[in-house]
Amino acid sequence: MTKRYAFVLVALAVAVVMMFVARGRQRFYTNEGVVWTTEYHITYQADHDLNDSIQFLFNNIDMSVSPYNKASLISSLNENTSTRVDAYIKRLIEASLVVNRESGGAFDPTVMPLVNAWGFGYKSGTMPTRVQLDSILAFVGMGKIALRGDTLVKQDPRVMLDFSSIAKGMACDEIGRMLTRNGARNWLVEIGGEVVASGMNKRGTAWQVSVDMPTSETDEVIHDSALTLALDSGAVATSGNYRKWREQGGSKISHIVDPHTGDSRVGTLLSVTVVAPDCMSADAWATACMVMGDSATRAMMQPRRDLGVMTITADTISGNLIVWSNKAFADKIQ
């Protein structure tokens, strides 16, 4: 055995020992705060605090896809001062096209002008008339945009994008991937109720994720658990019309907007919770199902095994809540 070969073997042995020593020093960290006007909670097992990396990702994503940040790339695209897309926006568009197609157009990030018109976007709106909604619908639809490499092509310059119903899910996924790259095998990322997890919690069991019951209280966040899911991989997202709504002219107006009609979607379907392999998909599908409504969601999701879905609907006759889920969802219930 040559001295050089022996040196290499010793170096490899030391590296392996140091790796196991480092893993042995890993402990659970929790980073919490507020981002995009919502709370986040991130717990992970690592050998050092990764909060700086988390904040770095939050800032990068905000500068890319936040329509409420006038300096963001998405704001430039919406204002037609740029046509360039980055990796985040490209990923969101590609994922949105898939859910848009499979949901029959129920999920559509080009609803931004409609969301603004109803007063739930970054521009204040009033109760729009049918004529106003019809005029806006002329430039709403995923078919009116296309990607050409790193360039966004619009059929109409008035087309605007809003990824609010999928971006938090993507952010959860991005942070999860960052944690994994930094050696964290056990982690849970939650941003505004959207959750993605991997591995086990500090008790050595699957992560416990609570799903809220709908509430009529809009002035404060009330967490009344409907059930608990066991999650050692994958993601959970919930969408509902029971928090972001208001009364105007005697009518209830929801932030859920139907891209087919332009109407504020208010029905008996109160919330949809989706379990998916990644949080971006779960986030998008939860919104799509809210737009589709209870009957269409049940019909589409009953046979699916890649997506677990639970709906909570108000029974207008009895006043009770009706809970439905497909098998893929029921299998995750603790």
Side-chain angles (χ1 to χ4, degrees):
M1 180 185 297
T2 65
K3 289 183 178 180
R4 183 176 181 181
Y5 183 60
F7 175 79
V8 171
L9 287 179
V10 171
L12 286 173
V14 170
V16 171
V17 170
M18 292 301 293
M19 179 181 69
F20 282 104
V21 169
R23 285 184 178 178
R25 290 200 303 265
Q26 284 193 340
R27 67 179 183 87
F28 278 90
Y29 293 85
T30 297
N31 297 133
E32 300 175 332
V34 176
V35 66
W36 305 312
T37 70
T38 191
E39 294 182 355
Y40 69 87
H41 305 84
I42 303 170
T43 302
Y44 52 94
Q45 187 180 26
D47 55 14
H48 64 285
D49 192 331
L50 294 167
N51 187 56
D52 286 349
S53 296
I54 292 169
Q55 299 306 319
F56 179 78
L57 278 174
F58 278 153
N59 182 69
N60 283 354
I61 293 171
D62 186 77
M63 290 299 297
S64 173
V65 303
S66 173
Y68 302 94
N69 182 346
K70 293 183 179 180
S72 70
L73 182 54
I74 198 71
S75 293
S76 297
L77 291 169
N78 286 340
E79 297 298 325
N80 298 304
T81 59
S82 175
T83 59
R84 180 185 65 86
V85 298
D86 61 6
Y88 291 136
I89 293 176
K90 183 180 290 189
R91 189 176 305 145
L92 288 168
I93 290 175
E94 290 171 347
S96 297
L97 285 168
V98 172
V99 181
N100 176 266
R101 181 179 67 252
E102 293 185 3
S103 66
F107 181 77
D108 195 325
T110 67
V111 295
M112 183 84 261
L114 291 169
V115 174
N116 281 335
W118 283 106
F120 290 102
Y122 63 87
K123 294 182 179 180
S124 61
T126 57
M127 180 80 77
T129 65
R130 185 69 256 169
V131 172
Q132 290 172 327
L133 291 175
D134 288 341
S135 66
I136 294 173
L137 284 170
F139 49 92
V140 169
M142 289 295 284
K144 295 177 172 62
I145 64 168
L147 284 174
R148 299 286 185 266
D150 293 333
T151 299
L152 177 69
V153 179
K154 300 180 184 181
Q155 290 185 6
D156 189 310
R158 295 172 296 176
V159 173
M160 302 172 73
L161 294 167
D162 176 20
F163 294 112
S164 298
S165 56
I166 188 174
K168 287 204 304 291
M170 183 194 71
C172 289
D173 292 334
E174 286 296 311
I175 291 172
R177 280 190 280 267
M178 179 277 293
L179 294 173
T180 299
R181 288 195 303 271
N182 280 275
R185 292 175 297 170
N186 301 307
W187 48 261
L188 181 141
V189 180
E190 181 262 325
I191 304 175
E194 323 298 16
V195 179
V196 64
S198 175
M200 304 293 177
N201 58 29
K202 61 175 62 179
R203 295 186 299 274
T205 60
W207 297 95
Q208 308 296 296
V209 179
S210 177
V211 178
D212 285 354
M213 286 290 290
T215 174
S216 60
E217 300 295 330
T218 59
D219 295 332
E220 56 183 319
V221 177
I222 298 174
H223 296 292
D224 184 10
S225 180
L227 51 83
T228 301
L229 302 176
L231 205 66
D232 58 8
S233 65
V236 180
T238 298
S239 181
N241 63 15
Y242 58 93
R243 291 205 195 278
K244 292 182 68 175
W245 62 271
R246 70 177 188 273
E247 281 195 18
Q248 187 167 325
S251 299
K252 184 177 179 180
I253 302 170
S254 167
H255 74 290
I256 303 293
V257 177
D258 189 332
H260 297 115
T261 65
D263 294 323
S264 167
R265 183 75 177 182
V266 179
T268 57
L269 180 57
L270 301 179
S271 74
V272 178
T273 300
V274 176
V275 178
D278 62 278
C279 203
M280 183 166 61
S281 297
D283 204 2
W285 271 111
T287 298
C289 291
M290 283 299 303
V291 172
M292 290 163 56
D294 188 50
S295 297
T297 294
R298 291 190 187 193
M300 178 179 289
M301 295 301 174
Q302 178 69 54
R304 292 193 69 153
R305 294 294 176 261
D306 58 325
L307 297 173
V309 178
M310 180 185 76
T311 63
I312 300 180
T313 309
D315 187 331
T316 56
I317 298 177
S318 68
N320 296 323
L321 298 180
I322 301 171
V323 180
W324 172 89
S325 71
N326 64 3
K327 185 177 185 302
F329 188 93
D331 290 343
K332 291 288 185 179
I333 298 176
Q334 181 64 33

